[in-house]
Amino acid sequence: PTGSLLYPYGPDQGDKTNPKLDDGTSEAITLSIPFTFYGKTHQTAFVNNNGVISFDEPVRQYTPDPFPLADGRPFVTPFWADVDNVEGGDIFYRQSTDPALLGDISQHISQYFPESPFTATWAFVATWDHVAYWGSISDKGNTFQAVLTTDSKMFYIILNYWDIQWTTGAASDGDAETGLGGIPAHAGFNSGDDTNFYNIPGSQTDAIINITTTSNVKVPGRWVFRVDDFQAPDVNPPQMDNTCWL
């Protein structure tokens, strides 16, 4: 969409498309540049239909759990919930060294983390495009994106939220008509240890529907984290004025 926060995506960008399968996942993706996530380097990733990018193993779980997870699975989730791309929507992904994409990403990260000059050499872009929820009897869809990027020394994750219309699948006690209620979606990351994790404010509450208005980098709908070692810019309290987190 024009004016979108989202980096370009779709088949015309060379994206692969996940199979239409409830609780499905991509094939194992061999990362052309291994990705360092909290001191551990991973060479394999999966784009899971239920809003999760996981390392080493797929994640088929559809009702989210808060972080830190007891079982130590390392993953990042822009929006962990019961997506059903059979009902609607597509899930795309690619690895890229496209100069235009890397230029945009480098400019953004250098702006958010000015003390660490950054020139991206590789990016992995996964996009959930107007995806439906399990048990849906509506035409609601969510569009969001997760980007992994590195200059081979520093490693960052960018989460972009463009349009969020539902929070919960019917098997997570959500309402089939509204896609709300029950156990709402979770956003953030789990490093696999007990100390490095982040739950984006509003996760697993009704307020997660407003994630397109929140940010830690003063860009509504965008959250950015350095993940080779933990760094998140401070959340600026005035941004939260429009949203009630109670």
Side-chain angles (χ1 to χ4, degrees):
T2 315
S4 171
L5 279 186
L6 302 176
Y7 298 108
Y9 67 91
D12 60 335
Q13 299 291 325
D15 281 2
K16 293 183 173 167
T17 307
N18 272 16
K20 295 276 186 184
L21 179 65
D22 184 45
D23 303 329
T25 178
S26 68
E27 62 195 7
I29 303 155
T30 302
L31 302 178
S32 52
I33 295 192
F35 196 78
T36 301
F37 192 60
Y38 293 92
K40 293 198 181 75
T41 298
H42 302 276
Q43 289 180 298
T44 306
F46 292 83
V47 176
N48 304 279
N49 288 8
N50 289 337
V52 172
I53 297 179
S54 56
F55 298 106
D56 310 327
E57 298 288 333
V59 172
R60 299 182 190 277
Q61 182 180 333
Y62 55 83
T63 300
D65 285 321
F67 302 151
L69 298 175
D71 59 11
R73 285 173 290 176
F75 67 70
V76 58
T77 174
F79 203 82
W80 186 13
D82 198 359
V83 169
D84 187 356
N85 64 347
V86 180
E87 291 285 336
D90 287 295
I91 297 148
F92 299 112
Y93 65 91
R94 74 183 179 283
Q95 300 184 67
S96 180
T97 54
D98 173 59
L101 174 70
L102 296 181
D104 284 347
I105 290 172
S106 301
Q107 182 192 339
H108 292 146
I109 288 182
S110 299
Q111 185 184 330
Y112 309 144
F113 294 80
E115 69 293 341
S116 310
F118 181 82
T119 304
T121 54
W122 169 91
F124 180 84
V125 181
T127 310
W128 286 257
D129 183 51
H130 202 74
V131 290
Y133 54 94
W134 189 85
S136 172
I137 53 170
S138 76
D139 57 4
K140 287 184 167 186
N142 286 349
T143 301
F144 55 89
Q145 186 177 69
V147 178
L148 280 55
T149 187
T150 184
D151 61 358
S152 79
K153 295 181 292 293
M154 296 179 283
F155 294 79
Y156 288 91
I157 289 173
I158 302 169
L159 304 180
N160 290 322
Y161 301 93
W162 182 243
D163 188 21
I164 301 296
Q165 302 180 356
W166 62 267
T167 63
T168 321
S172 310
D173 297 327
D175 183 299
E177 205 166 327
T178 64
L180 304 174
I183 300 173
H186 194 85
F189 57 80
N190 192 68
S191 72
D193 62 37
D194 290 335
T195 48
N196 294 295
F197 59 90
Y198 189 83
N199 299 312
I200 286 182
S203 285
Q204 294 193 299
T205 75
D206 295 339
I208 199 70
I209 195 93
N210 299 319
I211 197 165
T212 54
T213 69
T214 68
S215 178
N216 64 341
V217 292
K218 300 188 177 73
V219 179
R222 176 171 286 164
W223 289 76
V224 185
F225 305 93
R226 182 171 168 186
V227 296
D228 48 302
D229 63 347
F230 180 66
Q231 286 185 23
D234 290 335
V235 175
N236 193 10
Q239 285 165 232
M240 299 303 179
D241 284 356
N242 301 333
T243 311
C244 172
W245 295 114
L246 299 177

